[in-house]
Amino acid sequence: MPEAPLPEILDGLRWQAVLDRQANPACGGFLYAVTTQGVFCRPGCPARPPLRRNTRFFPDAPAAEAAGFRACKRCDPRGDRARLHAEAVAAACAMIEAAETIPSLEALAARAGYARHHFLRLFRDITGVTPRSYAEGVRARRLHAALAAGDRVAEAVAGAGFGSESRVYESPGRHLGMTPGAARRGGAGEVIHIAHADSAMGPLLVGATGAGICYIGFAEPPESLEGDLRARFPRARIAPAPDHLAASVQAIASFLAEPSAALALPLDLRGTAFQRRVWEALTRIPLGETRSYSGLAAELGQPAATRAVARACAQNPVALAVPCHRVVGASGDLTGYRWGVPRKAALLAGERRARGR
């Protein structure tokens, strides 16, 4: 375990973080107080940095308050305002979940007690999507559940809150990733061709529809990988097709052994609009480079959607082809990975070697 920096070095790092308006993992958590103003702030406070001689550092809000300082109203170092915002958005989500039809933005904002434009910004910053997109996701989830339970399409569409079947059939991929009939059948009528293989990182399974690769899994027992695929398409016909998928399997196995070039495979990706935006952004990360979850959220124009981005990465069905292993924590830590952090480290190391050649 690395030794803690000396106090004078630590204070220097903290002061630089204040000037940079960005937390530095080497500093640990801290707040700074301004003696001439009597307030304490987060390192990222948008206020003008104080003079060094007027600055004191504290490990947390109680320590700063015990020294007689009050919380800054701009950066909310106690998190009181953030908690109120989160509670308001959670209540709005509950209202959407309980409603039979999509509530209007005006109704949601009035319920939360905010102006319409302010509430819209809060909701988008916290959830990563607009209230409308969130509500459409709720409708799609209801529709998918009803169809999977065997309800007739017309009944499922009406029960999910859609005005008519035509709205669903106009853009089925937007709501389900497939037509309502296919969703009702749980993939019945679809054929998922699969191929098992050995790889440098253990068992490999590739699944493909007629549109492209829909599943890539590795490093788990073959039966577990196939069970994961079947859970996604519970009523589809699973057909072994090693010859049909031979080229794709070889490309993926080669990437696992030595990732020297980005995988270019035809894909059949099924997810929400937000998930697909994240997955598309992942494919634009160059080989051997990484992005943080927060950085990726910022690239999407939704800097507060870090958790939503992380969830979308975790739900990626085609590992390697959509390279979620290139996303790391803000501190550079590898954090979690569906197929194991050691494998994530090995993939990134292999990609860096390839870039260095």
Side-chain angles (χ1 to χ4, degrees):
M1 184 174 181
E3 294 183 4
L6 295 173
E8 58 272 19
I9 296 176
L10 181 58
D11 280 357
L13 292 172
R14 288 172 170 172
W15 175 240
Q16 189 59 50
V18 171
L19 295 177
D20 294 340
R21 290 192 173 91
Q22 185 174 359
N24 182 343
C27 305
F30 78 95
L31 300 171
Y32 73 91
V34 185
T35 58
T36 53
Q37 297 179 4
V39 300
F40 64 93
C41 306
R42 298 178 186 273
C45 184
R48 177 186 295 181
L51 296 176
R52 177 66 182 89
R53 65 174 180 267
N54 298 330
T55 306
R56 293 178 59 186
F57 300 112
F58 295 95
D60 50 35
E65 289 175 330
F69 294 95
R70 65 184 185 280
C72 171
K73 292 184 178 180
R74 295 190 67 181
C75 65
D76 188 29
R78 287 178 53 86
D80 295 333
R81 187 167 64 247
R83 280 190 292 273
L84 288 175
H85 290 170
E87 289 170 2
V89 169
C93 291
M95 183 176 174
I96 293 171
E97 296 274 358
E100 293 185 4
T101 57
I102 296 179
S104 68
L105 178 58
E106 288 76 8
L108 292 168
R111 168 67 177 77
Y114 293 102
R116 180 178 179 275
H117 68 281
H118 184 52
F119 173 76
L120 176 60
R121 185 172 66 252
L122 285 181
F123 194 99
R124 186 171 53 227
D125 287 348
I126 291 174
T127 66
V129 296
T130 65
R132 179 79 186 185
S133 295
Y134 184 91
E136 288 180 347
V138 171
R139 289 199 308 183
R141 189 170 68 245
R142 290 174 181 166
L143 177 59
H144 195 287
L147 292 171
D151 291 0
R152 296 178 58 188
V153 172
E155 295 170 351
V157 168
F162 290 93
S164 65
E165 290 182 49
S166 62
R167 292 188 178 183
V168 180
Y169 280 101
E170 283 170 0
S171 54
R174 175 183 176 187
H175 303 293
L176 298 167
M178 61 188 84
T179 65
R184 179 175 183 269
R185 296 188 297 271
E190 286 195 279
V191 178
I192 311 297
H193 293 105
I194 66 169
H196 288 276
D198 292 323
S199 77
M201 294 192 183
L204 169 67
L205 174 64
V206 178
T209 65
I213 303 295
C214 64
Y215 182 85
I216 298 174
F218 63 99
E220 293 182 356
E223 58 273 17
S224 297
L225 295 173
E226 192 166 326
D228 188 15
L229 172 64
R230 289 180 182 275
R232 298 172 185 268
F233 300 91
R235 299 180 187 176
R237 182 165 69 85
I238 307 300
D243 293 337
H244 176 68
L245 294 174
S248 295
V249 169
Q250 179 57 48
I252 295 166
S254 297
F255 187 92
L256 285 168
E258 192 62 42
S260 58
L263 282 172
L265 299 169
L267 302 176
D268 182 2
L269 292 177
R270 303 180 182 188
T272 66
F274 181 78
Q275 286 173 332
R276 281 179 284 185
R277 283 184 63 206
V278 174
W279 297 339
E280 288 169 7
L282 292 174
T283 63
R284 295 193 293 269
I285 303 175
L287 186 84
E289 294 186 14
T290 59
R291 300 287 187 274
S292 67
Y293 294 103
S294 56
L296 196 60
E299 287 182 22
L300 293 172
Q302 297 177 239
T306 300
R307 291 185 180 180
V309 166
R311 286 195 297 271
C313 291
Q315 292 159 350
N316 168 28
V318 286
L320 311 175
V322 172
C324 55
H325 63 276
R326 295 178 191 156
V327 188
V328 299
S331 64
D333 292 341
L334 298 188
T335 66
Y337 184 52
R338 167 69 173 82
W339 311 105
V341 171
R343 297 180 185 89
K344 183 173 186 174
L347 287 168
L348 290 173
E351 291 185 0
R352 285 192 290 269
R353 287 195 300 271
R355 282 178 63 90
R357 284 201 289 267

